[in-house]
Amino acid sequence: MSHSFTATTPTYWIAHGHGHMASGFLAEGGRISSGADHFETYDSARVQAARLVALANDYGTAVAAWTETLRLRDPVAHLADYRWRRETGGLTLAAGPTISTSRESQAQMTSTVVAMKEGLIDAPVTWKAESGWVEMTLDQMLTASAEVSAHVARCFAAEEAVALLLADDPTLDVEAAFDAAYGAL
């Protein structure tokens, strides 16, 4: 891979790849070309030094973290990540308890509702909420499941609405826009 960079401000840089790492400083207008796999720039010697330590200590993890940071700079990827965090971050039910909405919890709730409806398990069932254990009848499980399903659907609808806005304004604050879209649904 080849990287060429011209500094528009004083810049600290790191070029690295398999078995190779170089770093330095470029004054405004300075130019560098590198054949390294990765090329990173920083506006602070302190941040560059910390990054060099991270790369030296655990190269694979440091590169993965940096790659994820770059990915999340893409507003569409940031939006998808924020939707996922909201979707799976829990929900306070109308009946009071706050429950997990992780993908595993969503599937477990669906499975439990089906098992209760089919008579495979007796009601009430014990369910774990953030505040502790709650006993739930079939009707309560159906209500909770419907609330979780509606929450997930709102998350995806909000993501879609913000994605359309991003087409016109890629500088949009996706988290604030998502929260507004979710609240309006």
Side-chain angles (χ1 to χ4, degrees):
M1 181 166 282
S2 178
H3 302 277
S4 293
F5 177 78
T6 302
T8 57
T9 61
T11 303
Y12 298 86
W13 60 269
I14 304 170
H16 55 92
H18 301 289
H20 168 78
M21 189 173 333
S23 62
F25 173 79
L26 289 172
E28 184 176 336
R31 182 167 175 74
I32 187 170
S33 292
S34 167
D37 293 337
H38 306 287
F39 187 79
E40 304 179 29
T41 61
Y42 300 95
D43 59 4
S44 157
R46 182 185 55 76
V47 174
Q48 178 199 41
R51 183 71 178 138
L52 285 166
V53 168
L55 287 164
N57 286 339
D58 186 349
Y59 186 78
T61 300
V63 169
W66 178 71
T67 302
E68 180 66 2
T69 298
L70 288 179
R71 184 186 74 78
L72 292 178
R73 287 183 189 169
D74 170 19
V76 175
H78 184 172
L79 173 61
D81 179 71
Y82 189 68
R83 185 261 319 137
W84 177 81
R85 287 186 284 127
R86 285 289 305 274
E87 172 199 341
T88 61
L91 178 68
T92 301
L93 301 174
T98 299
I99 62 169
S100 171
T101 55
S102 69
R103 296 279 170 87
E104 295 84 4
S105 291
Q106 293 175 42
Q108 187 62 50
M109 181 169 274
T110 300
S111 172
T112 301
V113 166
V114 169
M116 290 173 81
K117 287 176 102 175
E118 295 297 318
L120 300 174
I121 57 175
D122 294 325
V125 296
T126 303
W127 201 260
K128 187 174 183 180
E130 285 186 16
S131 59
W133 299 99
V134 293
E135 294 287 319
M136 297 180 77
T137 65
L138 175 57
D139 286 342
Q140 290 169 322
M141 282 298 290
L142 285 168
T143 300
S145 182
E147 288 182 49
V148 170
S149 294
H151 164 71
V152 171
R154 284 174 71 187
C155 285
F156 279 100
E159 180 183 7
E160 179 186 30
V162 176
L164 293 172
L165 295 174
L166 276 172
D168 293 331
D169 182 5
T171 65
L172 184 70
D173 179 341
V174 297
E175 293 183 16
F178 180 96
D179 292 343
Y182 182 91
L185 294 170

